[in-house]
């Protein structure tokens, strides 16, 4: 493996390691946030919150104009040329394009909350939630620009510490405090707004003081408005479609069914997405790392992609199998007895996200190579299929129909992107032989868990999930080393990741600054 290839893998591993820690903490805090609402107010009110988040989430995607992908692509390229004037210019361009639009959309959503709630959902209960959350549209736009800029400098620690950790701490703390004071479901909306506002303040600080100065530097800005728009325009529609894909099931359930079903489904959906943690950790630096690697050595990128995919699949498969085997128990523990009705939907969704992770970071690679229009075409096809299946299946099967629609469209999108990367760049992202070995390893490791469960229990008790997870994890690791093994470059990467321990004081200093 070449030095450039190894360097890209090292960067991915280090960034993914920091991100994975941040994501695990973030997911835990987000779960506490969601579970606090879900357990305290029940599935109906939790469903109302999900609908309000859907409305502001879709509008926020429009407000951001997909400029973040352009920042993460072009800033690394400008850095390789030490072109600070272009970096300043493209960040200014991103702000000039998004801030005015986000303010206009905020006004439309805030003053049109009653129309949205009654026209689309015949549900006046979500009006105050929409109004409160509408403030996150312009504030969230600033958060995204500030931290996408720091990601362009491969500084993942700032987003990890702020957006993934501190924002969720504030969000959870404010929510729990207001719940205690009796504010019911609006507590979650105020908590969400408080966390987002703090992230905007800290994001500006990190962009200017830690990776910059950028906006306040003495360098004369070299603008790239057309370049940013040309790259981002196809991704805007693609991003809107992607956001609609993420919320179509929730919206359709809100239209055809009741708040109760929306609440049940939104317990299964984020639980299924847990298996994507390694996938997202690797992907956080994928665009910047792939862009830099392509600048130096385009031919070696397939090896880097396959190695990253092998890492992801090795971590995703065990989580998927545990979710599949103990779906009802997991929902009972995390969400409560009312939500176990969503266990079959959880299993279906997990299958779709497993394929997502198995295909690898093909979407990030298409972005980094400029094939943004293919992402648009893929998302249009997936959204069309998703809407058709939702319309046909939700009135008959409820949350099961929504899960089938989401899993099917997720699989379609990833299969199309895999084929396009293969055809256009002659790159195959899936290491088929290692993936087969990992699958065999994962299934063999299940045997002792299933055997103990069937011998000891007629109905699996909730507490068994803890020892079952430990037994499975240890068995899986032992079999993995015996059947799959570690390659030379992976040993090198593990050594590099070990350097994170040496940077422990630096990380603590940054997090201490954030908290103070």
């Amino acid at each position: 493996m070449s030095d450039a290839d190894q360097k890209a893998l090292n960067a991915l591993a280090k960034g993914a390691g920091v991100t994975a820690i941040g994501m695990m903490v973030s997911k835990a805090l987000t779960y506490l946030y969601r579970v606090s609402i879900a357990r305290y107010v029940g599935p109906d009110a939790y469903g109302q919150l999900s609908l309000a988040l859907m409305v502001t989430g879709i509008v926020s995607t429009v407000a951001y104009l997909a400029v973040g992908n352009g920042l993460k692509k072009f800033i690394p390229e400008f850095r390789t040329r030490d072109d600070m004037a272009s970096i300043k210019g493209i960040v200014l361009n991103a702000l000039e394009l998004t801030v005015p639009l986000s303010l206009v959309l905020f006004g439309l959503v805030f003053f049109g909350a009653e129309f949205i709630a009654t026209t689309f959902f015949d549900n006046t209960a979500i009006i105050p939630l929409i109004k409160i959350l509408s403030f996150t549209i312009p504030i969230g736009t600033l958060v995204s620009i500030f931290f996408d800029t720091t990601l362009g400098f491969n500084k993942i620690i700032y987003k990890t510490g702020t957006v993934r950790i501190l924002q969720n701490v504030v969000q959870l703390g404010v929510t729990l405090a207001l719940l205690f004071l009796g504010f019911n479901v609006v507590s979650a909306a105020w908590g969400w707004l408080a966390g987002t506002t703090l992230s905007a303040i800290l994001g500006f600080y990190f962009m200017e003081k830690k990776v910059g100065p950028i906006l306040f530097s003495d360098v004369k800005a070299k603008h790239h408005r057309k370049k940013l728009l040309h790259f981002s325009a196809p991704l805007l529609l693609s991003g809107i479609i992607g956001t609609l894909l993420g919320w179509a099931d929730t919206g359709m359930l809100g239209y055809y069914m009741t708040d109760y079903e929306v609440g049940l489904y939104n317990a299964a959906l984020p639980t299924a997405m847990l298996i994507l943690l390694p996938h997202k950790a690797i992907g956080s630096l994928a665009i910047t790392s792939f862009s830099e690697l392509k600048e130096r050595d385009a031919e070696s990128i397939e090896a880097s992609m396959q190695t990253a995919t092998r890492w992801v699949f090795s971590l995703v498969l065990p989580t998927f199998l545990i979710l599949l085997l103990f779906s009802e128990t997991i929902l009972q523990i995390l969400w409560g007895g009312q939500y176990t009705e969503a266990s079959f939907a959880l299993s279906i969704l997990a299958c779709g996200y497993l394929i997502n992770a198995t295909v690898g970071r093909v979407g990030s690679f298409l972005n980094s190579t400029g094939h943004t229009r293919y992402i648009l075409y893929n998302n249009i096809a997936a959204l069309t299929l998703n809407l058709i299946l939702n319309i046909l299946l939700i009135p008959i099967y409820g949350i099961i129909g929504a899960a089938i629609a989401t899993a099917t469209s997720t699989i379609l999108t990833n299969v199309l992107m895999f084929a396009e990367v293969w055809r256009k760049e002659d790159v195959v992202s899936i290491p088929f032989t290692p993936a087969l070995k990992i699958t065999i390893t994962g299934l063999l490791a299940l045997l002792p868990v299933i055997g103990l469960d069937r011998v000891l229990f007629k109905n699996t008790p909730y507490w068994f999930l803890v020892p079952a997870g430990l037994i499975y994890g240890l068995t899986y690791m032992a079999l993995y080393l015996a059947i799959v093994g570690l390659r030379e470059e992976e040993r090198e990467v593990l050594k590099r990741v070990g350097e994170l321990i040496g940077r422990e004081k630096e990380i603590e200093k940054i997090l201490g600054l954030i908290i103070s």
Side-chain angles (χ1 to χ4, degrees), residues 353-375:
Y353 292 131
L354 175 67
I355 300 300
N356 187 343
T358 302
V359 168
R361 296 304 306 188
V362 286
S364 296
F365 183 65
L366 286 173
N367 270 334
S368 69
T369 53
H371 295 303
T372 53
R373 69 181 185 276
Y374 291 108
I375 298 175

Side-chain angles (χ1 to χ4, degrees), residues 248-250 252-253 257 265 344-345 348-349 385-409:
D249 40 14
T250 295
M252 289 291 188
L253 282 169
M257 312 298 285
Y265 185 77
F344 188 43
I348 296 170
L349 289 167
L385 177 64
N386 186 280
L387 292 174
I388 292 173
L389 291 177
N390 273 317
I391 291 170
L392 293 175
L393 298 178
I394 286 178
I396 302 173
Y397 301 108
I399 62 173
I400 303 300
I404 293 172
T406 298
T408 304
S409 58

Side-chain angles (χ1 to χ4, degrees), residues 78 90 97 164 219 228 278 302 304 364 388 391-392 428 442 489:
F78 296 149
I90 203 165
L97 291 168
R164 300 197 185 285
V219 177
L228 183 62
E302 181 176 87
S304 296
S364 296
I388 292 173
I391 291 170
L392 293 175
V428 177
E489 66 267 19

Side-chain angles (χ1 to χ4, degrees), residues 103-147:
L103 291 172
V104 171
L105 292 175
F106 154 70
L108 291 174
V109 173
F110 182 86
F111 294 107
E114 183 175 354
F115 173 80
I116 295 170
T118 55
T119 302
F120 295 101
F121 305 110
D122 192 23
N123 190 342
T124 57
I126 66 174
I127 294 174
L129 296 172
I130 292 176
K131 286 190 172 184
I132 296 169
L133 290 171
S134 66
F135 285 92
T136 65
I137 296 170
I139 298 173
T141 296
L142 293 176
V143 172
S144 297
I145 288 178
F146 297 155
F147 284 107

Side-chain angles (χ1 to χ4, degrees), residues 436-459:
L436 178 60
K437 291 182 179 179
I438 293 167
T439 302
I440 294 171
T441 301
L443 293 174
L444 288 175
L446 273 182
L447 295 179
V449 175
I450 296 174
L452 285 173
D453 184 37
R454 292 189 175 181
V455 169
L456 298 177
F457 312 110
K458 183 177 181 181
N459 296 312

Side-chain angles (χ1 to χ4, degrees), residues 163-466:
V163 178
R164 300 197 185 285
I165 299 178
L166 188 59
Q167 178 174 323
N168 283 286
V169 169
V170 172
Q171 181 175 291
L172 177 61
V174 172
T175 298
L176 292 176
L178 293 177
L179 281 174
F180 180 76
L181 293 174
F183 282 88
N184 294 320
V185 72
V186 294
S187 305
W190 285 115
W192 194 283
L193 177 58
T196 305
T197 302
L198 182 60
S199 285
I201 296 170
L202 290 175
F204 179 76
Y205 171 79
F206 289 130
M207 183 182 74
E208 286 299 309
K209 299 298 183 180
K210 295 300 180 179
V211 303
I214 294 176
L215 299 180
F216 292 97
S217 69
D218 295 329
V219 177
K220 184 178 180 180
K222 182 179 179 181
H223 295 282
H224 296 274
R225 190 178 291 104
K226 289 183 179 180
K227 186 174 185 178
L228 183 62
L229 280 174
H230 179 75
F231 181 82
S232 301
L235 290 174
L236 171 60
L237 182 55
S238 180
I240 294 171
I241 293 172
T243 302
L244 289 173
L245 272 170
W247 287 107
D249 40 14
T250 295
M252 289 291 188
L253 282 169
Y255 183 81
Y256 285 111
M257 312 298 285
T258 67
D259 293 338
Y260 181 79
E261 281 79 14
V262 175
L264 290 180
Y265 185 77
N266 277 276
L269 183 62
T271 305
M273 293 182 72
L274 288 174
I275 68 175
L276 291 178
L277 274 176
H279 186 53
K280 291 181 177 179
I282 294 291
S284 297
L285 290 179
I287 293 180
T288 54
S289 296
F290 290 158
S291 293
E292 291 176 5
L293 181 58
K294 188 175 177 62
E295 288 287 317
R296 293 190 299 263
D297 189 358
E299 294 181 359
S300 64
I301 199 167
E302 181 176 87
S304 296
M305 285 193 70
Q306 290 196 1
T307 300
T309 302
R310 186 168 67 252
W311 295 345
V312 169
F313 189 64
S314 299
L315 296 170
V316 163
L317 183 66
T319 311
F320 165 76
L321 293 173
I322 291 294
L323 281 178
L324 202 64
L325 192 61
F326 298 104
S327 58
E328 185 172 338
T329 304
I330 290 170
L331 287 175
Q332 169 69 30
I333 294 172
L334 294 174
W335 299 90
Q338 289 177 292
Y339 295 90
T340 56
E341 296 178 47
S343 60
F344 188 43
L346 169 58
S347 298
I348 296 170
L349 289 167
C351 292
Y353 292 131
L354 175 67
I355 300 300
N356 187 343
T358 302
V359 168
R361 296 304 306 188
V362 286
S364 296
F365 183 65
L366 286 173
N367 270 334
S368 69
T369 53
H371 295 303
T372 53
R373 69 181 185 276
Y374 291 108
I375 298 175
L376 172 62
Y377 301 153
N378 297 338
N379 285 340
I380 290 174
L383 179 61
T384 302
L385 177 64
N386 186 280
L387 292 174
I388 292 173
L389 291 177
N390 273 317
I391 291 170
L392 293 175
L393 298 178
I394 286 178
I396 302 173
Y397 301 108
I399 62 173
I400 303 300
I404 293 172
T406 298
T408 304
S409 58
T410 299
I411 292 170
L412 174 65
T413 303
N414 282 275
V415 169
L416 288 175
M417 288 192 296
F418 172 80
E420 287 153 2
V421 169
W422 185 11
R423 289 186 58 193
K424 296 298 178 182
E425 297 292 331
D426 196 26
V427 170
V428 177
S429 62
I430 302 175
F432 289 102
T433 301
L436 178 60
K437 291 182 179 179
I438 293 167
T439 302
I440 294 171
T441 301
L443 293 174
L444 288 175
L446 273 182
L447 295 179
V449 175
I450 296 174
L452 285 173
D453 184 37
R454 292 189 175 181
V455 169
L456 298 177
F457 312 110
K458 183 177 181 181
N459 296 312
T460 305
Y462 301 133
W463 61 263
F464 180 67
L465 188 61
V466 175

